[in-house]
Amino acid sequence: MIHLRLHEDSPAHPAAQVYEQIAFAIASRQIRPGARLPSVRQLSMQTGVHSSTIWRAYAELEADGFVQARTGSGVYVCEDQSVPVAVPGLIRRTIQTLLDQGYSPDQIQHEFTQALNHYQSGVTQLWATAQDPGILELLVEELQRHLGITIRAVPLAELLAMTKQSPPQTVITQRYHLAQVCNLLAGSTITVIPIDHYDYQTEITLTEQLAAGSTLGVVSLSARILRIAMVFVHSLRGQTIRILTCQPTQTELLQQILQEAQLILTDLPCYAMIQGQIKVTQHCHPAPQYIANESLARLRQHLAMDTDALG
């Protein structure tokens, strides 16, 4: 069951509050692919908002590829459209097909070696893509730090053109953009792996516990994260606390946060930039990660399959 928290004093429209909380829950895997969402009537009764507001939020979620409405059945979270293939099995089947066609093992090995050498001499084969530049920076930094490999950052607006020039093996993206990326790459052999993000439950709890009348500061590389944070804080607290948000390049706003906020929430790169300026009277909490551990484990498994297949 989804438990949404809407605040009547929030300047954010109720439909925006419903949309962001459900999209966030899907993108952090609190609601799993294939799960059935509550009916419009059920969610309207639970939240106390008009059914037309729920319809509006569900329609936007469907338009953005998060959910799918099935006539007579309900609204369901979309299944992953493209996931890592079973590489060892695919290679074994390919080898057997070539043997059946009369190729010798030495010929197959020679052709595979030639193709692999050509493949490895090309562009970076793992790409990350996102619409928001700050989120793309977070994705690439964390992927390279945790996986120890080179990741190429490709803005979503440039993805299709760049794959036509020199297609990668795998594209990694947020679940927010999974449907869009899969549609762009439809018909290609590129594997698309969705990234689920950290659930931010600690940060939500800290926000709920902040004393009325306090100022909360949120600093992130991503303008998108800041917009979502604004909606979430208003959903949780209405206007009982003041919220200030900025990217680290917005110097005046950043200084205002450092001077006035009792609690500052940041992502790790921003924390490294501002930790020396934080007052003793302030509590600054850096989110430990952006990518969920489950997604990192899934990527490690995908890379291990590739390594086993090539070995």
Side-chain angles (χ1 to χ4, degrees), residues 71-278:
T71 304
S73 178
V75 178
Y76 293 82
V77 177
C78 291
E79 301 281 357
D80 290 350
Q81 298 183 35
S82 182
V83 295
V85 295
V87 177
L90 177 61
I91 289 181
R92 284 194 295 271
R93 290 193 297 274
T94 302
I95 291 173
Q96 187 59 55
T97 298
L98 293 171
L99 289 171
D100 292 343
Q101 292 178 359
Y103 289 91
S104 70
D106 286 344
Q107 287 175 310
I108 295 171
Q109 183 176 11
H110 174 75
E111 292 299 328
F112 263 73
T113 300
Q114 290 282 91
L116 183 59
N117 288 340
H118 175 74
Y119 188 72
Q120 290 179 325
S121 66
V123 297
T124 302
Q125 296 304 315
L126 283 173
W127 292 7
T129 190
Q131 192 171 58
D132 181 281
I135 287 179
L136 184 56
E137 186 175 345
L138 285 173
L139 281 178
V140 170
E141 189 278 331
E142 286 196 17
L143 289 169
Q144 293 188 151
R145 173 158 47 89
H146 287 285
L147 302 179
I149 57 176
T150 300
I151 306 290
R152 184 173 183 177
V154 180
L156 186 55
E158 301 173 18
L159 179 64
L160 183 58
M162 293 182 69
T163 55
K164 288 181 178 178
Q165 295 174 11
S166 49
Q169 178 187 15
T170 303
V171 172
I172 302 166
T173 191
Q174 305 163 274
R175 193 167 295 278
Y176 283 106
H177 299 313
L178 177 60
Q180 186 177 357
V181 171
C182 287
N183 287 336
L184 284 173
L185 303 181
S188 75
T189 59
I190 300 170
T191 299
V192 180
I193 303 180
I195 289 293
D196 303 305
H197 64 62
Y198 167 62
D199 62 16
Y200 294 95
Q201 290 305 303
T202 298
E203 292 72 23
I204 289 172
T205 299
L206 288 171
T207 300
E208 290 176 320
Q209 295 173 346
L210 195 59
S214 298
T215 296
L216 168 67
V218 183
V219 185
S220 174
L221 295 175
S222 164
R224 167 68 177 162
I225 288 176
L226 295 178
R227 287 194 297 272
I228 294 174
M230 184 75 75
V231 173
F232 259 75
V233 171
H234 286 145
S235 298
L236 294 171
R237 300 297 304 269
Q239 300 189 64
T240 61
I241 64 173
R242 179 186 180 212
I243 176 171
L244 299 172
T245 66
C246 78
Q247 294 176 274
T249 53
Q250 296 173 298
T251 309
E252 291 186 9
L253 282 173
L254 178 59
Q255 288 306 310
Q256 186 179 3
I257 288 173
L258 290 169
Q259 291 172 12
E260 301 178 16
Q262 284 74 48
L263 170 65
I264 303 174
L265 304 177
T266 76
D267 46 43
L268 277 177
C270 290
Y271 179 71
M273 297 176 194
I274 68 172
Q275 59 180 325
Q277 305 176 63
I278 299 166

